[in-house]
Amino acid sequence: MTQQGVRWTADQVLALAPDAASRKAGSKLGAAGPWSEAGSSDEGTVWGLCKGSGSKPYQTVVDIADAAGPAYKCSCPSRKFPCKHALGLLLLWAGGDGAVPSAEPPEWAEQWRAGRRKHAEEKRAAGASGSSAPGDPEAARRRAQRRAERITAGAAELEQRLTDLLRGGLAGAEQAGYGLWEETAARMVDAQAPGLAARVRELGAIPSSGPGWPVRLLEECALLHLLDQGWLRRERLPDDLAATVGSRVGLPGSADGPPLRDRWLVLAQYDTSDARLTTRRIWLYGAKSDRTALLLSYGAAGRAPELALPVGLALEAEVSAYPGAGQLRAALGEQFAPPAPAAIRPRGVTAAQAAARYGEALRDDPWLDSVPVTLDGVIPTPGAGSWQLADADRGSALPLTPSACSRPGLWRLVALSGGAPVKVFGECGHHGFAPLAAWPAGAGEAVPLC
């Protein structure tokens, strides 16, 4: 199928937006008014000129057939990927009303596309020839050993601080304020254990956070103690569990699993941010393997990660798994065809089975916040000040997470259901269920909810 035969929906385009502001601004540019000389090619290039505030229009081009997902180039000064002009151009193209006709790309668009393809070919050739050989393995071993020693020292210090906290009583945590936790987190950063630092910062937000906070603080302290002890005794752990502990502590890993080729449905994509980093999570489902995989991509503070895939489309590609017990994270490898519509839906389970699946996953990874789950035949139902997803013909239900109840995606899910059962994909954990995508009864593509 040529790219001209593959039309995305507006929801699939807007799911690529790095934030709500970009989604809103891009929607305003999805009409023909500000655009001129727009066109698209069978090779997967879409381009156009968008009138801005200056005298010269912005040159915008998108490669929708790029192996790592859509790639964007715009002459505007925005640091977001994709910018509002790229989103608007894709919305115009997705409309399929002739506003973006089939044509030969202009020189500026073709130059950019050809440059990207050439760079990708050179990278593949370099990998095949082995020119990117690893450095001195002995030096790498020494660096890893030095880092492990620093993390061990940091873990031992953290154990002492947790002991002091419990001996002094949890009430002292409320009086000490957040500064104590931030100072402890900084010590873990110095020890090159960013995973420990992140969990310490989460502890600092619990005191005085509402009724029952001492119980929550004690639970989180216990999990942090378990992680500390796992690192300090990692030589005694099974290899998979030791890899999980290393990942949770903050050691970098690599996708060393064998490549798995499949037709991967893009289930969901969303970003989380803090003062240091923006993390993008992309969930995939393999039609033949019946496996769910997680792609992670990162951007510096204030910048969206570059990897983006359209929700609801499927791509023929290889993914390689990261090591670790129950690990779902994978790296996207070679892509054999661009994203295209596909009648793929993951198998669903009941609400009770979803809760049991999370419990089973905790045996492999006690620090796991949630697991990906597809619920079959559930109805969004209001409860006592909240919402839940109730099985249509069974007596079980899952509460929605507080954050899910405050997002616009909840009302989209309610409207999609209309009181009838729907299939919903999301993350199920100790806070409840967070819906990320849903399918209407009968035929239809996934509707993003995040």
Side-chain angles (χ1 to χ4, degrees), residues 102-344:
S102 177
E104 290 297 318
E107 183 179 358
W108 57 270
E110 178 59 26
Q111 267 187 345
W112 174 77
R113 188 195 72 86
R116 285 188 60 83
R117 300 292 167 87
K118 182 180 179 182
H119 178 70
E121 289 294 333
E122 290 174 347
K123 197 172 180 181
R124 280 195 292 268
S129 65
S131 60
S132 55
D136 182 359
E138 178 59 24
R141 187 194 65 79
R142 288 196 299 269
R143 287 194 299 270
Q145 183 177 358
R146 286 196 297 270
R147 179 169 187 177
E149 290 170 352
R150 297 188 69 173
I151 294 175
T152 297
E157 179 181 346
L158 183 55
E159 280 291 280
Q160 186 59 53
R161 296 197 177 205
L162 289 174
T163 300
D164 293 343
L165 171 66
L166 296 177
R167 282 178 176 167
L170 295 181
E174 188 175 26
Q175 299 166 2
Y178 190 75
L180 170 67
W181 304 100
E182 185 57 38
E183 190 267 338
T184 303
R187 294 287 296 162
M188 296 305 103
V189 171
D190 292 341
Q192 295 184 290
L196 293 180
R199 298 191 78 90
V200 168
R201 289 193 177 97
E202 290 173 2
L203 289 181
I206 296 177
S208 304
S209 61
W213 70 261
V215 174
R216 295 194 299 275
L217 180 60
L218 185 60
E219 290 172 346
E220 293 301 321
C221 284
L223 283 173
L224 186 52
H225 167 70
L226 183 64
L227 182 57
D228 263 352
Q229 291 298 315
W231 174 262
L232 295 173
R233 292 169 170 79
R234 61 192 182 280
E235 293 86 0
R236 308 180 193 175
L237 301 178
D239 289 345
D240 281 348
L241 184 56
T244 298
V245 168
S247 173
R248 291 296 182 184
V249 164
L251 283 181
S254 59
D256 56 4
L260 174 63
R261 179 169 176 172
D262 206 336
R263 188 152 180 77
W264 297 95
L265 174 66
V266 185
L267 292 170
Q269 172 180 294
Y270 68 94
D271 294 351
T272 55
S273 301
D274 57 28
R276 301 166 181 79
L277 197 68
T278 297
T279 303
R280 174 164 295 166
R281 299 166 68 88
I282 302 176
W283 285 109
L284 304 178
Y285 171 75
K288 291 180 287 188
S289 62
D290 193 32
R291 285 183 53 181
T292 304
L294 173 64
L295 306 181
L296 293 181
S297 181
Y298 302 96
R303 291 186 67 102
E306 291 194 14
L307 178 62
L309 297 173
V311 175
L313 298 186
L315 58 153
E316 185 79 20
E318 291 179 341
V319 302
S320 298
Y322 280 74
Q327 178 66 262
L328 294 176
R329 186 185 175 189
L332 183 63
E334 184 176 357
Q335 183 176 329
F336 304 97
I344 301 173

Side-chain angles (χ1 to χ4, degrees), residues 1-14 16 26-27 29-32 35 38-48 60-65 70 72 84-103 310 313 338-341 445:
M1 180 185 292
T2 66
Q3 288 300 320
Q4 285 300 310
V6 178
R7 292 287 175 180
W8 302 353
T9 65
D11 280 340
Q12 288 163 348
V13 172
L14 292 175
L16 300 171
S27 298
L29 293 174
W35 293 96
S40 60
S41 71
D42 288 346
E43 288 73 32
T45 309
V46 185
W47 64 88
T60 308
V61 57
V62 182
D63 183 359
I64 59 175
Y72 319 93
K84 63 181 181 180
H85 306 101
L87 289 170
L89 177 62
L90 284 177
L91 287 172
L92 191 67
W93 167 77
D97 57 2
V100 184
S102 177
L313 298 186
E445 295 177 346

